[in-house]
Amino acid sequence: MNKVFKALSDPTRRQVLQLLRDKPMNAGELAEHFSVSKPTMSAHFTVLREANLVDASKVGKSVIYRLKLSVLEDALLAFTGAIGLELNTEKNTTSQRDTP
Amino acid sequence: MNKVFKALSDPTRRQVLQLLRDKPMNAGELAEHFSVSKPTMSAHFTVLREANLVDASKVGKSVIYRLKLSVLEDALLAFTGAIGLELNTEKNTTSQRDTP
DNA sequence: ACAACATTTAGATAATTAGCTAAATATCAA
DNA sequence: TTGATATTTAGCTAATTATCTAAATGTTGT
């Protein structure tokens, strides 16, 4: 969990996760969204990978990064649980109903 | 929000928040739970204060720290919202009912 | 006023971090 | 095989961070 929070402590990395929420992207595509050099971005990717927040797979010349939402979720749940914080981020409160 | 995540990136500080979940505590009491010096703890308190995660009030010789749960909650909601992550940390799923 | 106590500030250091450029590695196409 | 492209590694630097000890500040009781 510590690595996750360390990873989340940098705004660039949080924004990378946000970009990956929509779809997997390769390193270059991701880097285009930021004004820092590619090696710097590569270092950020390493931090995210070591926190297990993203998954990297090489396809041809590119490395595709993919968000691992469940790892993020688990870390946040562990933390909110430890703090005793009840977060409800659900979009609608109208109760789920079985197919009638 | 950035300051909140920076504050959360240190395990000592996360644990301080956890201790404060139960009750407000003064600096010395908090420091007793950790194996670092009091000045070091004081620096951690400063970071937490600047992130607005705790509130400090001097009472006599002591400074009482109090958790500001709502600030933590807001930051986490902003983040999970940005990522599109739906966390539900509620303890029971049984619906709240009006007094019958 | 003084001593005891609680906490913070000052000042220092070692470790970590985010950033850079240049070079290395890997893949693909011609 | 050579060249182009994508990404990472190496090596560096400046800034930040966590830590320490010693000293300063503020508060209370005698």
Side-chain angles (χ1 to χ4, degrees):
Chain A
M1 183 170 94
N2 196 29
K3 280 190 176 180
V4 171
F5 276 97
K6 278 270 162 47
L8 295 181
S9 73
D10 183 277
T12 297
R13 288 191 293 262
R14 288 198 303 276
Q15 219 179 314
V16 168
L17 297 180
Q18 209 173 131
L19 288 168
L20 291 178
R21 145 200 78 163
D22 294 328
K23 60 175 191 308
M25 291 174 77
N26 61 49
E29 260 181 296
L30 284 169
E32 279 173 11
H33 290 79
F34 300 88
S35 51
V36 299
S37 72
K38 284 173 178 187
T40 294
M41 288 306 295
S42 186
H44 283 308
F45 299 150
T46 299
V47 173
L48 291 171
R49 252 188 288 111
E50 289 182 348
N52 202 29
L53 286 169
V54 302
D55 183 276
S57 59
K58 185 150 192 176
V59 174
K61 281 182 277 194
S62 302
V63 175
I64 298 175
Y65 285 98
R66 188 178 307 269
L67 178 59
K68 290 172 79 172
L69 250 200
S70 68
V71 174
L72 181 57
E73 186 177 328
D74 288 352
L76 293 180
L77 282 172
F79 177 64
T80 54
I83 298 292
L85 178 58
E86 293 186 24
L87 270 200
N88 189 340
T89 66
E90 279 181 39
K91 277 154 194 157
N92 66 62
T93 310
T94 62
S95 55
Q96 293 279 355
R97 186 187 299 281
D98 290 340
T99 50
Chain B
M1 185 171 90
N2 196 30
K3 280 190 176 179
V4 171
F5 277 97
K6 278 270 164 44
L8 295 181
S9 73
D10 184 277
T12 296
R13 287 191 293 261
R14 287 197 304 276
Q15 219 180 313
V16 167
L17 298 180
Q18 207 173 134
L19 287 167
L20 291 178
R21 145 200 76 164
D22 293 329
K23 59 176 192 308
M25 292 173 76
N26 62 47
E29 260 180 297
L30 283 169
E32 278 173 12
H33 291 80
F34 300 88
S35 51
V36 299
S37 73
K38 284 173 178 187
T40 295
M41 289 306 295
S42 186
H44 284 308
F45 301 150
T46 298
V47 173
L48 290 171
R49 252 188 289 110
E50 288 183 347
N52 203 29
L53 286 168
V54 302
D55 183 275
S57 59
K58 186 149 192 176
V59 174
K61 278 182 279 194
S62 303
V63 175
I64 299 176
Y65 285 98
R66 189 178 307 269
L67 178 58
K68 290 172 80 171
L69 249 200
S70 66
V71 174
L72 181 56
E73 186 176 329
D74 289 351
L76 293 180
L77 282 173
F79 176 65
T80 54
I83 297 292
L85 177 59
E86 291 186 23
L87 272 197
N88 189 337
T89 66
E90 278 181 39
K91 275 152 196 160
N92 67 61
T93 308
T94 62
S95 55
Q96 293 278 355
R97 187 185 298 284
D98 290 341
T99 50

